[in-house]
Each structure stands twice: as C-alpha cells, then as structure tokens.
Amino acid sequence: MAPASTTSSSEAGAARRLIGSRRRTEATPLPSPPDSPPPKKLKPMSEILAKAKYAVVEPADYNDLSCEQCGSDTRKRRRRSGSLVYQKKRRRLLPFIPSEDPAERSKQMGTLASALMALQMEFSDDLTYLPSMASRSANQAKFEEGGMQVLSKEDIETLEQCRAMCRRGECPPLVVVFDSCEGFTVEADGQIKDMTFITEYTGDVDYIRNREHDDCDSMMTLLLAKDPSKSLVICPDKRGNVARFINGINNHTPDGKKKQNCKCVRYSVNGECRVFLVATRDIAKGERLYYDYNGYEHEYPTQHFV
C-alpha cells in the first residue's frame, strides 16, 4: 500500500505565505456608511402662498438690501434702448347734472333768455355757418398749426349725452345774473364736479381776417391755421348760448388767477374744431364761473378785470 502523501514543514510554510500574500493584495473593505436621513419633502408653492400672510411692501423697501455672498443689491440694471417717455393719465369728461326740479330748470333758462334779449341775441347751441362768413368745410382740424387734440370716443359719448339733455330742456345748473361791475356773469345753481362738461362755446363762425377791426369783445379762437388766411373765430354777437356770459379772470394778479374754476379747451371732433368749457375743480352752488381768456393767445387785455 502506498504511503499517504505528507507535506513537509517547508512546503507548508510556503503555502501559508502564498495564502497570506493573496490576502494582502485584496482590497480592504470600506466601512459601511451611517444610515443617511430620508430626503426632505418640499411643499408645493401653491400651498405656501395659500398659508402666507398678506403684506404690502413698497419697492423702496428693497433699495438697501444686498446679497451676503456676492454683495449685489436688488435693483435691476438694464440698458436703456432709448429716451424715456412719460404719459400723463388722461381724465374723462363728466356730464353735467341738471337740477331735478323742472321749475328750477325753467328759472335757470329764464335768466339766460333775459340776458340774450338784453343783448338782442338769438339762442343757439351749435356753431352757425352763414353764406357771408366761413363755410363749414373751412372748419377742419387738420389745418391747425401743430395739430389739435382729438376728443376720445368716451368723451364724445359724454358730449352727446349733454346735448341730448339740453334738447329735453335739462340744462346745466347755471343762472345768468347782472353785476354792476362785471356786467352779465354766470353762477352755479348747483354742485358742479371737477372735469364736468359745462357747455360748448357757440356762435357764428368767421375768418379772423374779417374780424380784425370788430368791436365784439367775446370772440373765441376756433382754428389757428398754418396759413393765417384759414384761421377761424367764433363770434357770439348775434347768436350764442350761456358760454357768452361766462367772464374771464385777471391773469395779471395772483388773486385773479385764484378765481379760475373752469377752462376753455379746443378739440377735434369728427375732424371739426370745437370749443368746450370744462370745470377745473369742484364748483359750489352760488360760485361764479371764471376762465382764462388768454389760455391760448396772450392778446386779450385783462389787466383791468376785477
């Protein structure tokens, strides 16, 4: 029987060294990392906004804030592409509010009728075009030097509403009174709010060149054309309405300027020039109406006005 195979001590030592060598070349296992916390669950923005408290913060409150890391502030910097354009917010005209009492309205219209009769005038709430003067075709806003502001659609509706009320006998709350110093003048017979349409300036339309030596003291500029021969005026010496009796201020004194509570404004309405009187502030009952006769041209002598 063959003897069992045995391993010498030297061979066993070599085998152990070989095994140990193999173990030293294996990668050392990394320690297991600690248990990481579960990921945070973020709330949706809609939920945050729904629970957030309401606060009003002015933009100026952020002017002094800056980032702690980069040092930049909160103001946005951008390149300007051109010059800045600022537009003033347009204010709409308001219709006048007639007196509710028909008897009161009859009294108001009676004072106007008496004043018209005293000056031998006819009532007219429209511009009048006569064959011997300027024709209606001459009244074109496009001839205005520098252009004329156009009455908006909303304000045209207000104008038509006021004209419809006048045709029904619902006139603006005004009375014409006689003053020994000022002559005929107009007083508010009810509250008139700021920006209220008061009346249109009416009368016969004529060329300025035909009225250079006219003694009428109530002519109103209607059209200032590039070509002076096309310029027009409104002449309320034969026909007109309550606008004829609204007096002007002395625009040479501070006290005179303080009296102004309405203004004369020219508009292009459907391509034609029109002149309106509009309240520039709230006017109380009993207060007289005044505007600046020299709103466009400083040619009217008002230094002797009271």
Side-chain angles (χ1 to χ4, degrees):
M1 180 176 180
S5 174
T6 60
T7 304
S8 66
S9 60
S10 60
E11 293 176 347
R16 284 196 296 270
R17 287 196 298 272
L18 179 59
I19 296 173
S21 176
R22 289 175 180 169
R23 287 177 181 171
R24 284 196 296 272
T25 59
E26 292 177 356
T28 305
L30 297 175
S32 59
D35 295 339
S36 58
K40 294 182 179 180
K41 184 178 180 181
L42 301 179
K43 295 182 179 181
M45 183 59 69
S46 58
E47 182 179 347
I48 296 175
L49 294 177
K51 296 181 179 180
K53 294 183 178 180
Y54 178 78
V56 177
V57 181
E58 296 295 336
D61 295 342
Y62 291 103
N63 288 343
D64 298 331
L65 296 181
S66 61
C67 178
E68 295 181 353
Q69 295 184 3
C70 68
S72 62
D73 57 21
T74 60
R75 290 171 292 185
K76 295 182 178 179
R77 295 178 173 85
R78 61 182 178 86
R79 181 178 298 174
R80 294 178 180 174
S81 57
S83 59
L84 295 177
V85 178
Y86 297 93
Q87 291 184 347
K88 186 177 180 180
K89 185 177 181 181
R90 189 184 62 82
R91 302 173 64 191
R92 289 188 56 180
L93 294 180
L94 301 176
F96 61 77
I97 301 177
S99 302
E100 295 183 0
D101 187 1
E104 189 71 16
R105 297 200 300 268
S106 296
K107 184 194 74 172
Q108 295 163 0
M109 290 186 289
T111 63
L112 173 59
S114 298
L116 291 171
M117 291 178 62
L119 298 184
Q120 298 181 348
M121 291 177 56
E122 297 179 6
F123 174 78
S124 175
D125 230 8
D126 299 287
L127 295 176
T128 308
Y129 301 93
L130 300 176
S132 58
M133 301 182 189
S135 63
R136 186 166 185 172
S137 60
N139 183 7
Q140 297 188 42
K142 65 181 181 181
F143 294 152
E144 176 76 12
E145 184 175 9
M148 182 175 292
Q149 58 185 331
V150 178
L151 193 66
S152 67
K153 179 181 178 181
E154 294 81 7
D155 289 342
I156 290 178
E157 293 175 355
T158 299
L159 171 63
E160 294 303 323
Q161 179 183 350
C162 292
R163 289 175 60 84
M165 287 191 291
C166 289
R167 288 193 293 267
R168 296 194 300 265
E170 300 172 359
C171 56
L174 304 171
V175 291
V176 183
V177 297
F178 185 81
D179 183 275
S180 58
C181 294
E182 299 183 29
F184 286 110
T185 186
V186 177
E187 291 182 358
D189 200 32
Q191 179 75 18
I192 301 176
K193 294 183 178 181
D194 183 19
M195 286 301 295
T196 294
F197 172 86
I198 297 175
T199 188
E200 180 176 0
Y201 206 96
T202 64
D204 298 336
V205 178
D206 201 359
Y207 291 102
I208 289 181
R209 64 175 185 268
N210 295 340
R211 299 281 178 156
E212 291 180 351
H213 304 290
D214 198 296
D215 58 357
C216 178
D217 62 351
S218 300
M219 287 188 296
M220 173 66 69
T221 300
L222 180 63
L223 172 63
L224 288 175
K226 296 179 181 179
D227 182 357
S229 65
K230 296 182 178 180
S231 296
L232 302 174
V233 291
I234 303 172
C235 308
D237 49 352
K238 297 289 190 288
R239 280 158 286 273
N241 59 6
V242 70
R244 164 67 175 79
F245 302 101
I246 300 178
N247 285 340
I249 63 169
N250 182 338
N251 54 10
H252 295 270
T253 64
D255 290 338
K257 294 179 180 180
K258 291 179 182 178
K259 296 167 64 175
Q260 182 175 355
N261 50 22
C262 55
K263 63 181 178 180
C264 174
V265 191
R266 293 187 301 148
Y267 282 104
S268 171
V269 182
N270 298 324
E272 294 183 346
C273 306
R274 306 275 285 276
V275 181
F276 304 137
L277 289 171
V278 180
T280 57
R281 60 173 172 82
D282 291 347
I283 304 174
K285 181 178 180 179
E287 187 177 351
R288 291 185 177 179
L289 273 62
Y290 294 96
Y291 69 100
D292 189 356
Y293 283 179
N294 292 313
Y296 289 100
E297 304 168 280
H298 295 275
E299 295 185 359
Y300 202 101
T302 65
Q303 60 270 21
H304 302 298
F305 284 16
V306 296

